[in-house]
Amino acid sequence: MLKLNLYKNKISTSKNFGRVYGRVDYDSNLMDLTALAKHIASHGSVYTADVILGVMNKMAYCIKELALEGKKIKLGDLAIFYATVKSKGADSYLGFNINTHIEKVRLAVRGTGDTSVANMTSSASIGYSSLAESLRDAERPQPDPDDDDDDNG
């Protein structure tokens, strides 16, 4: 289950100032390739974690290599990996200089098939984190202890 934290937009110049948004509350432990290989092996794989890790390390290296050659790499129903660039604008085609106008090269990932946005959204089970629950509880109206009205007339 995805757990959500809630946060309030505090940018006073924003048209969404004061509005509340949800963000995923990620587990603080980042799962690295070794942990992922062990997890895969625990699902009854005929391959040991060290073999799986070796294949995944090679795959990661090759994805970077191929993306930097301008290729898109599709991993089944998981994702498509590809390189993108962030660039500054130039005044003309001739004025565009790769060395000064390209700011960053990034590896982008887009879910596909089972991990497309539509499938992830429809498959997700979402709840509130304990922090989000406490923020919501703080906004709930509290019964007035001085209110002696009863419905008996």
Side-chain angles (χ1 to χ4, degrees), residues 21-147:
Y21 296 88
R23 286 188 184 152
V24 174
D25 180 22
Y26 294 102
D27 184 315
S28 61
N29 299 316
L30 180 65
M31 182 174 269
D32 62 9
L33 275 181
T34 301
L36 180 56
K38 288 177 182 175
H39 177 82
I40 292 169
S42 76
H43 282 279
S45 172
V46 297
Y47 300 104
T48 59
D50 60 330
V51 171
I52 295 168
L53 178 61
V55 171
M56 289 193 310
N57 276 320
K58 183 58 84 173
M59 180 185 71
Y61 173 83
C62 290
I63 287 173
K64 176 186 174 187
E65 174 188 30
L66 294 168
L68 288 173
E69 291 175 5
K71 293 177 172 61
K72 290 184 175 182
I73 304 93
K74 184 174 191 254
L75 292 183
D77 276 350
L78 175 65
I80 298 171
F81 294 81
Y82 53 97
T84 65
V85 296
K86 179 179 181 193
S87 64
K88 297 184 280 187
D91 294 329
S92 66
Y93 295 116
L94 189 57
F96 189 91
N97 182 301
I98 291 171
N99 295 319
T100 58
H101 289 92
I102 299 297
E103 295 178 323
K104 296 177 184 176
V105 177
R106 296 182 179 136
L107 181 66
V109 180
R110 179 173 54 88
T112 183
D114 286 345
T115 60
S116 67
V117 172
N119 282 334
M120 292 291 288
T121 302
S122 66
S123 299
S125 174
I126 302 173
Y128 295 108
S129 69
S130 55
L131 174 62
E133 285 288 7
S134 65
L135 291 169
R136 288 170 48 81
D137 286 344
E139 281 191 350
R140 283 193 173 88
Q142 300 299 314
D144 185 355
D146 296 330
D147 188 3

